[in-house]
Amino acid sequence: MPLRVRAAVLHHAPVARPYAETRPLTIEAIELDPPGPDEVLVKIAGAGLCHSDLSVINGDRIRPVPVALGHEASGVVEELGPGVTDLKRGDHVVMSFVPTCGGCAPCREGRGALCEPGNAANGRGTLLSGAKRIRCDGVEVSHHSGVSAFGEYAVISRRSIVRIDPDIPLVEAALFGCAVMTGVGAVVNTCRVQMGQSVAVVGLGGVGLSALIGAVASGAGRVVAVDLSQDKLRIARELGATDAFLASDPDAVAAIRDATDGGVDYALEMAGSVKAFDTAYRITRRGGTTATAGLANPNHSFTLPPVGLVGEERVVRGSYMGSCVPARDIPRYIAMYRQGRLPVDKLMTGTLTLDQINEGFDRLDRGEAIRQVIAM
């Protein structure tokens, strides 16, 4: 029998701001079909508001609508579909926003973030199996990134689920499904930052500050924070940044290069902005690496002079999902959190109810929040 639950559904996009007035997400009674083969019914405990959700609402990322949004989440296993034998009811879990099939070429290479069937399913708004398990008033509703966490329950592919120890608070655990995995992973996996090297993070949202604490935990000698918000720069210093610069300062690039003796070894762009990427590129030293994990509007582009890549031996690279293997990396990052090396709890702006979700996205859009989590 289908399960009737409350969830946040986006029926069309883009939607004009402010969202508190236009109400892009409506809280509706949806029907969830039982989990199919290799699928799991999860009772959602916490779901973070992320720019990847906001980019669907504002039209930067096109996804099939209607769609039940939400991709950064934690929860408790409620029911197992046929073939799921390695989980049990009551297990605490974190979801990954790219299901990993385990059999395609990227998965075989240990690059689960690039899983071909997983990313194709996300683009279609289906689970990894190709199925849609959500209906609203008899109409099929798309899954968002295989998770659809802005609801009381979700049916999710087993390949999107990582079991975690039950002693970590579930609301905080939600952040490991996107912000921490993406930000820390960009430092540890994509860039492989070594002790004593210099790192700059441009854009201090949940992912950017996760990258910053990842750089601190990796032993970076200089950790440079760059943002438009003085409040976020203050938080960055509290989290271990050695230097902080206001991005709107016209002399910021020159000041950063001067402070770091010609630029940093690694500059990470986390704002999803071409202007932020330009800043990151310009503060990277000769022979250094500029990496981006920010998802800019796909119609935007950045002009790069090839002579600089050659003459300065520059590296420019992308980082998706922190180049993580979720089943390997999420437990590692949670262990570092429990040891006090990744203060993920300090990234929490606060908790919301499901009915406050549109107001929460307004705060995220205005840059007033780091990570707001819907506590179910």
Side-chain angles (χ1 to χ4, degrees):
M1 289 287 293
L3 180 67
R4 288 183 64 82
V5 302
R6 296 172 76 239
V9 179
L10 178 72
H11 287 276
H12 60 89
V15 182
R17 306 169 179 87
Y19 301 130
E21 297 178 7
T22 57
R23 316 301 291 180
L25 292 170
T26 57
I27 310 305
E28 304 189 30
I30 63 169
E31 290 187 341
L32 279 178
D33 288 336
D38 206 32
E39 294 172 359
V40 179
L41 175 68
V42 175
K43 184 177 183 179
I44 301 298
L49 273 61
C50 175
H51 272 277
S52 294
D53 304 300
L54 180 60
S55 66
V56 178
I57 296 170
N58 67 23
D60 282 351
R61 301 186 76 197
I62 306 301
R63 289 292 182 264
V65 292
V67 58
L69 284 184
H71 69 283
E72 178 185 81
S74 62
V76 179
V77 172
E78 186 77 10
E79 182 182 343
L80 305 174
V84 180
T85 59
D86 58 344
L87 293 174
K88 65 181 184 299
R89 192 173 187 272
D91 279 345
H92 288 201
V93 294
V94 167
M95 273 59 78
S96 163
F97 60 90
V98 177
T100 52
C101 75
C104 67
C107 282
R108 292 196 305 270
E109 295 168 359
R111 305 181 74 184
L114 304 183
C115 175
E116 292 166 348
N119 279 285
N122 283 0
R124 295 190 305 264
T126 70
L127 298 179
L128 186 61
S129 64
K132 291 185 179 182
R133 305 294 184 196
I134 310 172
R135 291 190 308 279
C136 182
D137 295 329
V139 177
E140 278 194 338
V141 175
S142 294
H143 298 258
H144 184 222
S145 298
V147 181
S148 292
F150 295 151
E152 295 167 325
Y153 291 82
V155 173
I156 301 167
S157 169
R158 172 64 185 90
R159 307 303 180 93
S160 297
I161 292 175
V162 177
R163 181 170 48 199
I164 63 171
D165 290 336
D167 59 343
I168 177 174
L170 276 169
V171 170
E172 293 171 10
L175 274 64
F176 288 86
C178 178
V180 177
M181 183 164 56
T182 301
V184 176
V187 172
V188 174
N189 296 326
T190 307
C191 294
R192 300 185 182 276
V193 171
Q194 301 296 307
M195 186 175 293
Q197 291 184 310
S198 56
V199 178
V201 181
V202 183
L204 301 177
V207 174
L209 285 172
S210 292
L212 188 141
I213 63 176
V216 172
S218 296
R222 296 288 289 274
V223 180
V224 180
V226 186
D227 199 87
L228 294 167
S229 165
Q230 289 283 16
D231 285 341
K232 289 181 178 178
L233 293 176
R234 173 185 55 78
I235 294 169
R237 282 196 176 278
E238 293 172 357
L239 292 173
T242 58
D243 306 84
F245 295 88
L246 198 61
S248 57
D249 182 350
D251 299 320
V253 169
I256 295 169
R257 292 183 66 87
D258 183 62
T260 57
D261 194 25
V264 296
D265 296 309
Y266 297 95
L268 286 77
E269 185 276 313
M270 298 296 190
S273 152
V274 171
K275 190 171 183 179
F277 185 82
D278 179 65
T279 296
Y281 187 79
R282 291 164 65 197
I283 64 175
T284 305
R285 70 167 179 84
R286 293 169 61 90
T289 296
T290 308
T292 176
L295 288 170
N297 186 303
N299 296 317
H300 296 172
S301 60
F302 178 74
T303 302
L304 192 67
V307 67
L309 293 177
V310 177
E312 299 183 4
E313 290 196 350
R314 294 285 204 99
V315 175
V316 176
R317 62 178 307 169
S319 177
Y320 190 48
M321 206 169 77
S323 306
C324 281
V325 178
R328 175 196 70 192
D329 291 325
I330 288 177
R332 287 180 179 178
Y333 300 158
I334 288 177
M336 293 175 69
Y337 165 68
R338 293 165 67 185
Q339 295 162 5
R341 297 170 61 196
L342 288 177
V344 172
D345 55 310
K346 295 183 180 179
L347 306 182
M348 294 271 295
T349 302
T351 59
L352 308 172
T353 66
L354 191 58
D355 295 303
Q356 296 171 318
I357 192 168
N358 289 299
E359 290 80 2
F361 275 113
D362 274 330
R363 284 189 288 273
L364 181 64
D365 182 58
R366 293 192 298 261
E368 298 171 358
I370 299 170
R371 259 312 186 260
Q372 305 166 93
V373 178
I374 295 173
M376 297 295 177

